[in-house]
């Protein structure tokens, strides 16, 4: 079975930090593109960060320099380290994967076909 489970969401003060985890089952992450996406109420789901687990990352402009995506390929787990959190970062965060057939990973949500249920992040200002 293939499934993803997010954890680590919660409330964080503006300027603070939070670390999200995505536990996977049935994956070898080096064979997948792994990504974090978020959706705020009334807004479209958007990319936060994507990695191919081989050292290549893509970040949305809104989070560059503040968020970091990483993978633990031995544990088949990947993470989103959120630093200098802003109120506009509040959203439900989803982890997602898609099997990688080519060098470049997709960045749009529709390019991913395996999704977790989401974990909510709230930000107090």
């Amino acid at each position: 079975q293939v499934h993803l489970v997010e954890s680590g969401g919660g409330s964080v003060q503006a300027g603070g930090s939070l670390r999200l985890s995505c536990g996977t089952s049935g994956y070898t992450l080096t064979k997948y593109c792994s990504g974090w996406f978020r959706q705020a109420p009334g807004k479209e789901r958007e990319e936060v960060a994507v990695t191919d687990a081989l050292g290549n990352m893509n970040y949305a402009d809104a989070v560059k320099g503040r968020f970091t995506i990483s993978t633990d390929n031995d544990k088949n787990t990947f993470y989103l380290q959120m630093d200098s959190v802003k109120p506009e970062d509040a959203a439900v965060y989803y982890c997602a994967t898609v099997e990688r057939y080519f060098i470049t990973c997709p960045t749009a949500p529709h390019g991913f076909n395996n999704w977790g249920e989401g974990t909510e992040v709230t930000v107090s200002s």
Side-chain angles (χ1 to χ4, degrees):
Q1 294 182 338
V2 176
H3 61 89
L4 305 169
V5 180
E6 303 96 337
S7 62
S11 181
V12 61
Q13 187 175 354
S17 296
L18 201 65
R19 189 195 193 204
L20 307 183
S21 299
C22 184
T24 72
S25 179
Y27 287 90
T28 299
L29 285 182
T30 53
K31 300 295 185 181
Y32 287 81
C33 297
S34 303
W36 288 96
F37 301 83
R38 66 188 183 186
Q39 187 166 19
K43 296 184 178 180
E44 298 291 329
R45 190 169 299 186
E46 64 181 15
E47 181 212 8
V48 176
V50 172
T51 184
D52 61 4
L54 299 173
N56 298 302
M57 291 88 170
N58 181 275
Y59 293 96
D61 289 342
V63 306
K64 285 181 179 177
R66 300 188 298 115
F67 292 5
T68 304
I69 187 170
S70 62
T71 61
D72 185 330
N73 296 334
D74 291 332
K75 295 182 178 180
N76 290 322
T77 300
F78 62 100
Y79 308 91
L80 184 70
Q81 178 67 41
M82 305 167 59
D83 295 322
S84 301
V85 171
K86 300 177 179 180
E88 53 263 43
D89 294 321
V92 176
Y93 283 71
Y94 300 88
C95 62
T97 65
V98 64
E99 190 169 3
R100 180 171 53 82
Y101 294 100
F102 304 100
I103 294 175
T104 302
C105 290
T107 57
H110 65 77
F112 292 76
N113 59 7
N114 304 304
W115 291 87
E117 295 295 325
T119 186
E120 186 173 10
V121 173
T122 59
V123 182
S124 61
S125 60

